[in-house]
Amino acid sequence: MSNKNMFLFSTMAQVNYFSQVGRLIAEQNYTNSSNKKLISKGKENNAICVIIPVSYGQHADLLTSARRAWQINKKEFDKKCINYLFAIYENVIVGVYRLTKDNSVVKSYEEDRWEFNLQIAELPMQNKWLGVRLDGESLQGNVIHYAYFETK
C-alpha cells in the first residue's frame, strides 16, 4: 500500500534529481514561450507572486527565498482563496508552490512579517508555469502580487 508521505524525507540524490527535472521543464517552457504571458488581474485571485530578491542563488536557496519573511496584510490575505505561490526572478517563474492547507502563513520572528508554508505544486502546474516569462509591466511595484493563474 502506498503511503502519501513516503517521500517526506528525501536523500540528497532525490533532491538533486527533482531539481534537475524542474530545470528541464523550466528550460523547455522558457525556450518555447515566444509571447510573455500576462498575469490576469481580476476579482478572483488564486495565487500570490513573490519577486524573489537579487540574493537568490547567492545567499539563499529557492524555497527559502520564496517562503521568507514578507510584509503582507494578513487580514487581506485571509480573505482571498490563495492556493499557489509563484516565485519570480527577473520576470521568469522559477518556482511553483502550493500553500499548505493548514497555517499557510505563519508569523515570522521579524516584526510585522509572515512566512509562507510551502510544498512543491503538482506536476501539471509545474509543467504549465515553470520557466514561463511574464510581462514585466504587470509586475511593477510591490514585491508581492495577487493574481489568477489557470490551473487546468
Side-chain angles (χ1 to χ4, degrees):
M1 178 170 221
S2 176
N3 181 349
K4 194 173 180 181
N5 295 323
M6 69 189 316
F7 297 110
L8 184 61
F9 301 102
S10 60
T11 65
M12 187 54 83
Q14 288 170 320
V15 170
N16 289 336
Y17 170 77
F18 288 116
S19 68
Q20 290 297 328
V21 170
R23 186 178 317 201
L24 290 172
I25 293 169
E27 286 175 359
Q28 181 178 6
N29 284 345
Y30 185 81
T31 304
N32 293 340
S33 63
S34 57
N35 295 335
K36 296 181 180 182
K37 299 196 179 208
L38 294 171
I39 295 175
S40 172
K41 292 185 176 181
K43 289 182 179 180
E44 301 263 337
N45 296 305
N46 67 349
I48 189 165
C49 302
V50 295
I51 299 173
I52 55 178
V54 179
S55 64
Y56 156 61
Q58 297 171 11
H59 305 293
D61 63 298
L62 180 59
L63 181 62
T64 302
S65 294
R67 79 173 305 271
R68 61 171 267 205
W70 297 99
Q71 192 168 12
I72 63 171
N73 183 331
K74 178 77 164 78
K75 289 179 184 175
E76 189 66 28
F77 181 85
D78 288 341
K79 286 183 199 175
K80 301 177 186 300
C81 185
I82 304 299
N83 296 318
Y84 295 96
L85 182 139
F86 290 81
I88 299 169
Y89 180 73
E90 295 183 357
N91 296 340
V92 176
I93 298 173
V94 294
V96 181
Y97 300 97
R98 182 178 257 295
L99 274 72
T100 58
K101 292 191 188 305
D102 299 326
N103 296 326
S104 59
V105 179
V106 294
K107 188 81 175 127
S108 171
Y109 64 91
E110 295 181 51
E111 191 175 334
D112 298 327
R113 292 188 176 263
W114 301 87
E115 294 184 8
F116 298 108
N117 278 337
L118 304 173
Q119 59 191 28
I120 302 268
E122 54 276 6
L123 192 56
M125 285 295 286
Q126 298 286 333
N127 285 333
K128 184 169 187 170
W129 293 108
L130 197 60
V132 171
R133 290 176 279 182
L134 298 174
D135 177 24
E137 290 181 20
S138 59
L139 295 173
Q140 290 180 350
N142 296 332
V143 292
I144 293 183
H145 301 270
Y146 293 99
Y148 177 78
F149 283 85
E150 290 288 332
T151 58
K152 295 178 183 174

